[in-house]
Amino acid sequence: RKKLYKAIERFGTIEHYEAFKPYQDYKAKDGSFKNCLIEQGDLSNLDKLYKPNSINVLLYRNALYHTLCQGDNMYRFMCPDAQEQMNTIAKKMNKVVKERGLVVFGENELLQGINELIIEKSMTNNGFQKYIQSGKELDNVWIKINDITNDY
């Protein structure tokens, strides 16, 4: 019950919570993914996997800390080159995500030792801004607002 209240607080309404419930509770409506192509891939190879401006939504769920952090499950800390790595990732995302497309990071990324300012700086410097829903910024959802031209 406590978890539900926290989720409602985070997502705003029970309807929003329903859309983001944990996997074991999730049941897609018939036809929900009818026109979706869902692929698993390596974020470091986005430019090799996808054509420019071809992706509507990019999900990077609870694995960013494997790239930007070092340590173990008990204690993680940022890699010395985390900002540079995140900047490279954000540039690759910008290249493949369509204008107004979304990038969704896992909710637990910030709980895994990642400095959110590193993500924020890289994403905003590379054509993204936090997605706003019902007047609130979502911590882990970014929308592409413009293309960038610099290479990585």
Side-chain angles (χ1 to χ4, degrees):
R1 198 168 188 102
K2 194 175 193 180
K3 196 175 184 181
L4 176 63
Y5 290 128
K6 280 187 174 187
I8 291 171
E9 183 179 297
R10 179 177 172 106
F11 295 110
T13 67
I14 190 68
E15 289 79 20
H16 291 134
Y17 169 70
E18 291 293 323
F20 293 96
K21 283 191 340 187
Y23 174 76
Q24 64 267 23
D25 296 337
Y26 181 75
K27 290 186 178 51
K29 294 179 182 176
D30 289 339
S32 296
F33 298 106
K34 184 177 169 185
N35 296 317
C36 292
L37 172 61
I38 299 173
E39 296 178 311
Q40 183 177 346
D42 181 354
L43 194 60
S44 63
N45 292 319
L46 282 176
D47 52 332
K48 294 174 183 82
L49 295 171
Y50 304 108
K51 295 177 184 174
N53 296 306
S54 63
I55 303 296
N56 291 311
V57 178
L58 191 65
L59 301 173
Y60 198 57
R61 302 288 298 167
N62 302 330
L64 192 58
Y65 61 89
H66 291 293
T67 305
L68 303 180
C69 295
Q70 50 193 27
D72 57 27
N73 287 335
M74 293 300 292
Y75 179 71
R76 286 195 178 91
F77 52 96
M78 298 301 294
C79 293
D81 63 345
Q83 186 69 68
E84 184 181 318
Q85 287 185 55
M86 187 62 215
N87 204 42
T88 300
I89 291 168
K91 286 177 184 179
K92 288 181 180 188
M93 288 176 173
N94 184 285
K95 187 174 181 177
V96 300
V97 173
K98 292 180 179 181
E99 188 82 17
R100 310 290 301 160
L102 300 176
V103 173
V104 181
F105 293 114
E107 304 168 8
N108 292 330
E109 297 293 5
L110 303 179
L111 302 174
Q112 298 294 336
I114 290 183
N115 179 343
E116 67 182 293
L117 297 177
I118 287 178
I119 296 173
E120 193 166 319
K121 181 177 179 183
S122 293
M123 295 300 282
T124 54
N125 287 344
N126 288 290
F128 293 92
Q129 72 180 25
K130 285 188 178 179
Y131 185 76
I132 298 172
Q133 181 176 340
S134 303
K136 293 182 182 180
E137 278 187 353
L138 300 181
D139 291 335
N140 59 334
V141 181
W142 294 81
I143 186 165
K144 180 178 172 181
I145 55 171
N146 59 5
D147 287 318
I148 57 170
T149 55
N150 36 343
D151 292 331
Y152 37 87

